[in-house]
Amino acid sequence: MKTEFSLTQLANPDIAEADRILRACVHCGFCTATCPTYVLLGDELDSPRGRIYLIKEMLEKDKPPTQEVVKHIDRCLSCLACMTTCPSGVNYMHLVDQARVRIEQQYTRPPAERALRALLAWVLPRPRLFRASMILARLGRPLAALLPTSPDPGNPGLPQRIKAMLALAPRLLPPAGPAGGSVFPAAGPRRGRVALLQGCAQQVLAPRINEAAIRLLTRLGIEVVLVRDEQCCGALTHHLGRDDDALARARANVTAWLGEAEQGGLDAIVVTTSGCGTVIKDYGFMLRQDADFAASAAKVSALAKDISEYLDGLDMPAPQQRSDLVIAYHSACSLQHGQKITQAPKELLSKNGFVVKDIPESHLCCGSAGTYNILQPELAGKLRDRKIANIASVRPDMIAAGNIGCMVQIAGGTSVPVVHTVELLDWATGGPRPGLNGADQVTQKT
């Protein structure tokens, strides 16, 4: 794609990076076939190729984003399926991230939307506030039916977004998991030492996921530490275009994790939420212009491993029991497209005694995408329903996924138990049977 940036513009490292990305695009349109919003809406501007044109024009003219640009960028899930499909290697992720920052800095949203986005950016990365908000949301759920429906589902207003938030709130919250600063020694001879990302929403909604990871890792001879000064990874605010907040969190985490590595050594920073993992693996890029943190951030990105990626490098023992449970494996977008991890989770489940089924249209997003199912509830709901119909076609006993956002999104539309991949692996090697937030435990078929 031909670009027309001035030399002055290209002196800006972000514009230079955008120019490199744009020039890689050859207009082929392969991305449209795998873009969830284009599949739903059939609008070229709601495809990666269309959004690339909008971003190119906005950056070249160096003008504030228009309402039309904002509408179509906001509809992007950042699922990154387009990057898996693209034959030219266009890094759409870095381009749309840059567009979101510009929108946040230069576009004035309606007051109610500004307030909602500010609330999400403040509450979600803070587990104590998030827990309190979930309690309030549970109390407010009966009022959801009183909220008006949107006359234009494609452009949801505040009532529809509040209704979506209330619908996502769980009926019960589990007890808090282990606190930062905890160290879990290896069972038997120590084979390694890792930091386990504590997460934000996950530690409130499903602390059982990290508890399963800790049991499994220590059983395999890995010492696990929850780093005391760790913060939210920054993914939530990063995707809202609030990069000052996201980069500050990234710097704090780089300092905390490398400090832990210097004291006790770390083989990896293990992540059980793939949306977080994708961003942590990108710290090196995000902080590339920070002279004080660029090298350290690159080290952290190299240390970051998804739990399935890390386990795939260990010699796991044979499962204690075989199972004929049929597991529908949902491949989170941030894992399959963001981190290019596709086979390891399925192979681990299969080797540990489960019958693993691929889901039709597995490349399409479930509609969770961080805060997307709150900010774009109509589109997110359609994607969830499509995902659940595809899952139902393989008639599973359980659904496995590697991302808490996907788990909550899918669980909202099905009675089939939705669990994390690591919970099943923990069960297969001696841990408890998994269930969804205290739901009835699944029993093995006879």
Side-chain angles (χ1 to χ4, degrees):
M1 178 180 290
K2 182 181 178 182
T3 59
E4 296 180 352
F5 292 108
S6 68
L7 291 177
T8 301
Q9 287 177 304
L10 290 172
N12 181 325
D14 289 332
I15 295 297
E17 177 65 17
D19 180 66
R20 186 191 66 78
I21 295 169
L22 290 166
R23 285 178 175 271
C25 180
V26 296
H27 317 266
C28 67
F30 284 6
C31 56
T32 61
T34 57
C35 174
T37 49
Y38 184 78
V39 168
L40 287 182
L41 302 172
D43 186 339
E44 174 73 13
L45 294 180
D46 283 314
S47 74
R49 182 171 61 180
R51 293 186 181 107
I52 284 172
Y53 278 115
L54 291 174
I55 295 169
K56 174 180 179 292
E57 183 178 25
M58 175 180 68
L59 295 179
E60 281 183 341
K61 292 184 177 179
D62 197 21
K63 292 183 178 180
T66 65
Q67 184 177 357
E68 184 76 358
V69 170
V70 173
K71 178 178 75 171
H72 294 294
I73 297 300
D74 282 353
R75 286 180 179 174
C76 174
L77 295 117
S78 281
C79 70
L80 310 181
C82 54
M83 288 179 60
T84 296
T85 310
C86 180
S88 302
V90 175
N91 195 320
Y92 177 82
M93 178 175 76
H94 290 159
L95 187 66
V96 78
D97 285 347
Q98 189 175 148
R100 288 198 170 106
V101 172
R102 182 165 289 226
I103 288 170
E104 178 65 21
Q105 293 174 346
Q106 299 184 6
Y107 181 76
T108 302
R109 297 181 185 273
E113 185 170 356
R114 289 205 308 273
L116 175 61
R117 286 173 173 265
L119 180 67
L120 293 173
W122 181 256
V123 171
L124 291 179
R126 295 170 170 84
R128 289 183 181 177
L129 280 178
F130 183 57
R131 177 175 285 275
S133 74
M134 289 296 96
I135 295 171
L136 292 174
R138 189 170 70 238
L139 296 174
R141 282 182 70 137
L143 303 177
L146 303 178
L147 294 171
T149 57
S150 174
D152 182 5
N155 293 287
L158 185 61
Q160 290 71 50
R161 288 166 170 161
I162 292 175
K163 187 181 292 189
M165 283 195 291
L166 295 176
L168 288 168
R171 300 186 187 279
L172 294 172
L173 282 177
S182 302
V183 178
F184 301 87
R190 194 177 87 172
R191 301 168 59 192
R193 187 174 191 267
V194 302
L196 181 65
L197 180 76
Q198 296 160 68
C200 301
Q202 179 173 287
Q203 68 172 278
V204 174
L205 298 173
R208 69 181 203 276
I209 294 172
N210 270 5
E211 290 167 359
I214 291 167
R215 286 192 301 268
L216 178 57
L217 289 168
T218 55
R219 192 180 302 127
L220 296 174
I222 307 299
E223 182 174 285
V224 179
V225 58
L226 305 182
V227 178
R228 187 182 305 277
D229 295 326
E230 178 186 290
Q231 295 192 17
C232 167
C233 70
L236 290 165
T237 50
H238 180 59
H239 293 308
L240 287 170
R242 296 171 174 249
D243 252 19
D244 286 346
D245 181 274
L247 294 178
R249 294 181 182 280
R251 293 184 186 99
N253 285 334
V254 167
T255 300
W257 288 329
L258 291 186
E260 182 66 39
E262 289 173 2
Q263 289 183 13
L266 289 178
D267 302 308
I269 300 164
V270 175
V271 185
T272 56
T273 304
S274 60
C276 301
T278 300
V279 168
I280 295 169
K281 288 183 176 182
D282 205 39
Y283 275 6
F285 177 84
M286 291 167 62
L287 292 170
R288 69 196 185 283
Q289 297 175 44
D290 189 324
D292 294 329
F293 280 88
S296 298
K299 290 180 182 178
V300 164
S301 291
L303 280 171
K305 302 285 184 185
D306 182 74
I307 183 68
S308 63
E309 183 182 16
Y310 184 75
L311 291 172
D312 193 44
L314 298 177
D315 293 325
M316 292 185 63
Q320 294 188 5
Q321 58 183 350
R322 299 294 297 179
S323 169
D324 60 352
L325 281 177
V326 175
I327 307 297
Y329 174 69
H330 165 71
S331 186
C333 295
S334 46
L335 197 56
Q336 64 167 317
H337 303 309
Q339 301 184 48
K340 308 302 182 189
I341 298 172
T342 56
Q343 296 304 312
K346 294 186 289 186
E347 290 175 356
L348 286 166
L349 288 170
S350 181
K351 289 176 182 177
N352 280 276
F354 298 101
V355 179
V356 183
K357 294 285 186 75
D358 283 321
I359 300 169
E361 293 187 327
S362 61
H363 62 281
L364 286 182
C365 185
C366 68
S368 172
T371 57
Y372 191 90
N373 51 5
I374 295 172
L375 298 174
Q376 299 288 337
E378 178 76 12
L379 293 175
K382 289 181 178 179
L383 289 171
R384 184 195 67 181
D385 293 346
R386 186 170 183 140
K387 179 66 67 175
I388 289 171
N390 280 320
I391 290 172
S393 71
V394 303
R395 301 170 63 87
D397 298 302
M398 302 180 76
I399 302 162
N403 189 62
I404 183 62
C406 302
M407 292 170 63
V408 171
Q409 175 80 346
I410 294 169
T414 180
S415 60
V416 180
V418 185
V419 300
H420 196 285
T421 305
V422 78
E423 293 183 272
L424 292 173
L425 298 176
D426 175 45
W427 178 27
T429 55
R433 292 171 177 170
L436 180 61
N437 288 346
D440 292 340
Q441 301 298 293
V442 174
T443 56
Q444 188 175 357
K445 287 182 179 178
T446 58

